[in-house]
């Protein structure tokens, strides 16, 4: 049987740029929340979060869902300020 080749679309430069921007913004916000403690920040990104479907935020970012992580961080920080 002949092998079927499936083309996976590449990210456009705009999508790639947006993903990297979202990742950087989320990191900066979490780092600020932890008062510059990089160790706590990385622990947060590497810990499964029940509010994110028990996924690690870092794995969501790796699976092209950086926008979801950024919106989550922004929402949580806004609720914290109330």
């Amino acid at each position: 049987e002949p092998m079927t080749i499936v083309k996976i679309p590449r990210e456009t430069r705009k999508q790639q740029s947006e993903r990297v921007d979202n990742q950087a913004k989320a990191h900066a916000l979490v780092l600020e929340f932890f008062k510059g403690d990089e160790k706590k920040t990385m622990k947060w990104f590497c810990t499964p979060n029940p509010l994110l479907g028990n996924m690690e935020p870092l794995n969501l970012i790796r699976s092209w869902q950086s926008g979801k992580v950024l919106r989550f961080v922004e929402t949580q920080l806004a609720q914290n300020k109330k």
Side-chain angles (χ1 to χ4, degrees), residues 16-79:
Q16 187 177 31
S17 176
E18 187 176 285
R19 185 167 55 90
V20 171
D21 286 348
N22 289 342
Q23 181 179 351
K25 287 175 188 172
H27 182 270
L29 289 170
V30 174
L31 185 63
E32 183 180 330
F33 177 80
F34 287 120
K35 299 177 180 15
D37 188 324
E38 186 66 40
K39 201 174 204 176
K40 286 181 181 178
T41 298
M42 288 314 299
K43 183 174 181 179
W44 183 86
F45 275 98
C46 295
T47 301
N49 189 314
L51 298 176
L52 291 170
N54 285 321
M55 295 284 297
E56 297 173 11
L58 189 58
N59 283 340
L60 286 172
I61 289 169
R62 288 179 179 150
S63 65
W64 294 279
Q65 295 184 57
S66 61
K68 179 178 182 173
V69 174
L70 177 59
R71 286 187 300 279
F72 174 77
V73 169
E74 290 171 336
T75 301
Q76 293 302 309
L77 290 176
Q79 288 178 357

